[in-house]
Amino acid sequence: MSQYNVIGTRAPRVDAPDKATGRAVFVDDMKMPGMLFGALLQSPYAHARIRGIDVSAAKRLPGVKAVVTAKEAGLVRFGVSPARYDETLFCSDKVRHVGDNVAAVAAVDLETAMEAVSLIKVDYEELPAVFTIEEALADGAPLVHEEYPRNICAEVHQEFGDVEAAFKECDLIKTSSLTSKLQNCAFLEPQACIAFYDHWGSLTLYTSTQTPHYVQRTVAMVLGLPVGKVRVVKPYTGGGFGAKASASHLELAACLLSMKAGKPVKMRFDREQVFWHGRSRHQFFHTMTTGVKKDGTILALKNECYLNGGAYCSFGIATVYYAGSLLGGPYKLPNMKYDGYRLYTNLPASGAQRGHGGVIARSCWEQQLDMIAEELGMDPIELRLKNVMTAGDVTCNDLNMSSLGMKEAIEVVRDASDWNNKKGKLPKGKGIGMACGFFVSGAGYPIYRSDTYHCTVVVKLAEDGGTAVVYTASAEIGQGSDTTFAMIAAEALGVPLEMVRVESGDTDFGVDLGAYSSRQTLMTGQATKEAAEDAKRQVLEVLSKELNIPVEDMDIKNGLVVFKNTKPDFTALRTRYQKEHRGWIDNPGAEEELSFREASRIAYLARGTIVGTGKYRPPELGGKFKGAAVGTSPAYGCSAQVAEVSVDEGTGKITVEKMVDAHDCGRAINRTSVEGQMQGSISMALGEALFEEVKFDDKGRILNADLAEYKIPTILDMPKVDARIVESNEPNGPFGAKEVGEGNIVPTIAAILNAVYDAIGVRIHELPLTPERVYLALQEYKNKSKTKS
Amino acid sequence: MKKIIRLTVNNEEHQLAVEPNQTLLDMLRDQLGLTGAKKGCEMGECGACTVIMDGITVNSCLVLAMQANGKRITTIEGLETEQGLHPIQKAFIEKGAIQCGFCTSGMILSAKVLLDKNPKPTEEEIRSALSGNLCRCTGYQKIVEAVQSVSEDDVGPARQES
Amino acid sequence: MLLPKFDFHEPTTVAEACQIIAEYREKAGILAGGTDLLVAMKKKQISPQHLVSIGRIDELRKLDSSSGMLKIGACFTVADTAASEVIGKKWGALRAGARALGSPQIRNLATIGGNLVSASSAADLPGSLISYGARVVLTSTSKTRVVPLDQFFLGSRRTEIGYDEILTEIQIDEPPPYSGAGYISLGIRASQDIKIVNVASFITLDSSGKTIRNARIVLGCVGPTHLRAASAEKLLIGEGPSEAVFAKAAEAAIRDSAPRGARYSRASAGYKRAMVGELTRRTLGIAWKEALE
């Protein structure tokens, strides 16, 4: 029997009924009186100087209410990391990728706005462009940003321990590489927003975002408004996965247009523009060398990585750090060296995507560990179990595994997949493979350097005592955070879930850094718990005075006041409540227990509105070296996965037949939601492993900026996922909880790569594993074997 | 120039003036306020705009409003009755088949057409029937489980309303 | 994505439709299922000033197999093609193509005529139809002509159809006894995929089942239009069906194919050629099995 009443259940999500009936309102579903429609003018060239912009014809078009360019927007630079504020709302000197933003129009309808955009004449001088790492680094290459020589946006050089010395101690040293392709988050809801600037000088922005707080700050900074006069509201949002975790030009343009036109302005990306905006997973080129002892002990890892960053930095500094730091665990690794380079190119900017920076690094390394296990004659699971960290271990780069069910997760998937009877024993063309991974449960530091609280939460009790409202600026983007916080508040307050209402996604409700780095359950969860406990304490304090019982002798459970010793006579309180609610049909009557509702009402009568507050900021985390912050977190979630695949050797087509997945999420707040995150992240990783790649022509134009040719998995591509929750008790998490949203995407690609090897005996070092790539690898392997024999 | 069409949406008759180049999706969303059908791609690739037209699922972004003249349309808003939610809606809620919710309307309508015709589908039939509805959140598993959980009794004999 | 403006016409008979397009000629676009046309219009690839919907012409939605010959109206949907018992029984490769096309929602709208008129060599229906020796009926105000489908396609997005003509019907003769056909399209994902290579094979055996009397092999995605693998067909005729012969035919089909080595193609020319061989071998296997049933 669980010690909790709400935590750990499978409560249906609070937002599900509205979403099941079409009632849930997303930004594009909203209309406002007098609302205008905006459209962006975006560059057709990958790299071009802007010699002039003529907006006169656009302005003359009937129905056009505002036309803005860099002239109106100004040149305040923004971005994600303040160290690389390299974007302006509109380009002034040159455009740096196809789809770069040049101007925007607001008009009475979308048709007019689009027509006006087509009437803007831009005099471009096309410039030579760079699209690949090699082109970007070539001598005399054109520079994407003049202030960044050799097009290096960021580089990282770290060494922990002494890798070269350690290699000398090793019995086996293995080098391999992995190349990935540019990804797109491909959420179902394209970005959309409505901005409304009123006569009091207040700007309200309804937007589809993961991070209302960062959007609020960026809008205020770029448009020169006080933060307090910018309110960002996030209605229901149709997925984010990283690409909606920063302010976009769409949002900024809508705000500026509304300020100019004095009307609400709606803007949305079409699917092609979602791809132009990008900000999803980078293309990575990893080369790794690992040294081990004969018995499988891992001694050292040397990791080199190049990232194709596109035209702007976005999250790129964090990305290039993560691509190194997230290999510090979950295996004991005393020596690690990392050299990472993020390059500017004339492609849409890459940013963060689920498993930020860690996915391809992990895929490369976990495939290499399998190669090492094979050479050592060890089972891959045995190799991993030999090196696995446990709770309390600290990585060589100072990440503290305060809880870690990695070993348990490996054992669970080993047993659930029948690994010992399958590994190496499946018929030709079928294979089984496994891999592990871990991820932060909330970035240890905000994206801008600050001592800010990462979140503040308010729990307000309704005056009748019957409902607790949680106010949080956190972002429900589909992951289920509203439900999580409702459950945490209910548990902490001691009331049934139905008595809690969550209001979220509004910067007026507090500070919350938002839905990225898998932070909300732990961080916003802690603040919610604190706020609920604060409200409960206040209720009990009033009760203590009224009944003359010490606070510590009382509690609230299941919506009832629990008296630890003798139950007092609370008839007077009940009578008071009843008198105040004459005519109400649901008044407490002859019940034996005093209800939370009565107690809460009495508290209101004594003190006014009962408001509990909570806040969370992680303690100082990590080491003192440069970049030590990236990878720090109050906790780490981890996963082990086993993939079973079949490979059609005639065509090279891979089918993933089954996935067994175990994830340590600390204590599961909502078991259904945890499984949903596990299954969902596997589908994203499966797409990246097998299908997904944003392709460009030689002019930097996207060839597949749509959901037909950018292929995310359909329901027919997804295998059964056997999701097993491994619970640990995370000391830094609310009720012991930590992340599940991203750690679980980390092992999937490598598990598939390793299963493919088990099936056909070929190692593939480039993603995605399209039929063609697999077929050609098989042919090459067969030709080589022929030459040998 | 606008033309007048008549059609039945969620069992209610409508007479509307529409532009020839207006899609059924825009008509439903803008003129009837039925925003449950979503714009995910506008190219017939994602299924978020799925509605039922004369008993079959269509991507309403690829149907002109003019083509819907005289047809019976069911949108997600039409599934809820005075008796409450449709069993498929209930199942999606109970089984955790909904995350961001953007694909949900289309998923449920595709599932409804399937179950109306085939109240006891195999898993393969379920997956096949929903293969025109992309979901980026759930990995589809809980969606399959939700549809499986809706038994023959719940759905009753094939309904003729759409 | 807004559609360009157009005038909308909705004739209820073929004669009326022919009159409208005779009047507007190249300014008219014919709307059947709309799954290709409306997408192309949204992308501004084409902007017909007059859109002529033929979806309400009853005679274009029929399926008639009463005469031994199968007559399919141009607006017969792909979903109905996939579901049709008579098609499944006698023209299984056509059903396989219909099932492979797009998604359920797309199949519900898309029509068999539209899939032909779009003239894409990645399309899923032309291959099997050509392999069955299908013909199309083109109707204008002045005349009706019947064109063998393998002479219908002139190039990518180009067909024999004139500005004043409507494709009204597809005709397929009943396959002779001891015939069979197979169709496979290879894609990347399991649904909603635009394919890398597709192959349809049709063979007729003699009554003993020991000799191939006739063979038609059609290759998709390896040229501007679907191609007949003529030398593979020639090689098969007169031979006894066997895996070994099919492998030889597959080699010949590879030589018959002409995939572009274009950089932006869905796959390299080399891989496409290899898959032509693989799919030819596999579809011949399916056809053989069906021929013996």
Side-chain angles (χ1 to χ4, degrees), chain A residues 10 12-13 15-17 19-26 28-29 31 111 184-190 236-239 241 266 268 270-271 353-354 476-479 672-673 675-677 679-681 683-684 687 692 706-708 710 712-716 718-723, chain B residues 21 29-31 33-43 45-48 76-80 85 88-90 92-105 107-108 123-124 126-145 148:
Chain A
R10 291 183 175 276
R13 289 172 55 134
D15 53 355
K19 288 176 174 176
T21 51
R23 293 185 194 181
V25 174
F26 296 76
D28 197 30
D29 304 334
K31 278 182 190 172
E111 215 165 349
N184 190 275
C185 287
F187 31 73
L188 264 281
E189 182 211 20
Y236 281 120
T237 288
F241 310 113
K266 180 189 242 186
R268 62 188 300 275
D270 63 28
R271 187 52 69 176
Q353 186 172 336
R354 199 174 205 169
E476 167 65 76
I477 57 170
Q479 80 282 50
T672 306
S673 292
E675 290 164 1
Q677 286 299 306
Q679 291 156 349
S681 58
S683 81
M684 184 173 277
E692 295 178 35
D706 56 56
L707 294 177
Y710 185 85
I712 69 172
T714 71
I715 196 167
L716 288 169
M718 278 305 293
K720 260 217 162 75
V721 176
D722 179 357
Chain B
N21 66 345
R29 289 176 57 82
D30 296 341
Q31 283 178 267
L34 298 170
T35 54
K38 303 296 182 197
K39 283 189 184 180
C41 69
E42 301 180 78
M43 295 287 182
E45 295 155 0
C46 76
I76 190 69
E77 290 88 349
L79 260 57
E80 199 181 344
L85 302 192
I88 303 172
Q89 292 174 312
K90 287 184 194 160
F92 269 59
I93 295 165
E94 284 298 320
K95 296 288 172 186
I98 299 170
Q99 287 190 29
C100 86
F102 210 74
C103 74
T104 305
S105 305
M107 282 286 182
I108 290 176
E123 177 173 343
E124 202 185 330
I126 293 170
R127 287 187 184 263
S128 175
L130 302 185
S131 64
N133 296 84
L134 295 177
C135 168
R136 190 62 153 170
C137 295
T138 63
Y140 303 103
Q141 185 151 323
K142 292 192 184 297
I143 292 171
V144 173
E145 288 164 8
Q148 282 173 328

Side-chain angles (χ1 to χ4, degrees), chain C residues 109-127:
Chain C
L109 289 174
T111 63
I112 187 166
N115 197 255
L116 300 181
V117 172
S118 289
S120 159
S121 81
D124 271 310
L125 303 189

Side-chain angles (χ1 to χ4, degrees), chain A residues 413-435:
Chain A
V413 297
R414 179 193 62 199
D415 298 344
S417 67
D418 199 16
W419 174 271
N420 291 338
N421 288 317
K422 284 181 175 169
K423 171 63 184 167
K425 295 168 190 158
L426 295 173
K428 198 161 179 328
K430 288 194 181 287
I432 188 167
M434 74 88 59

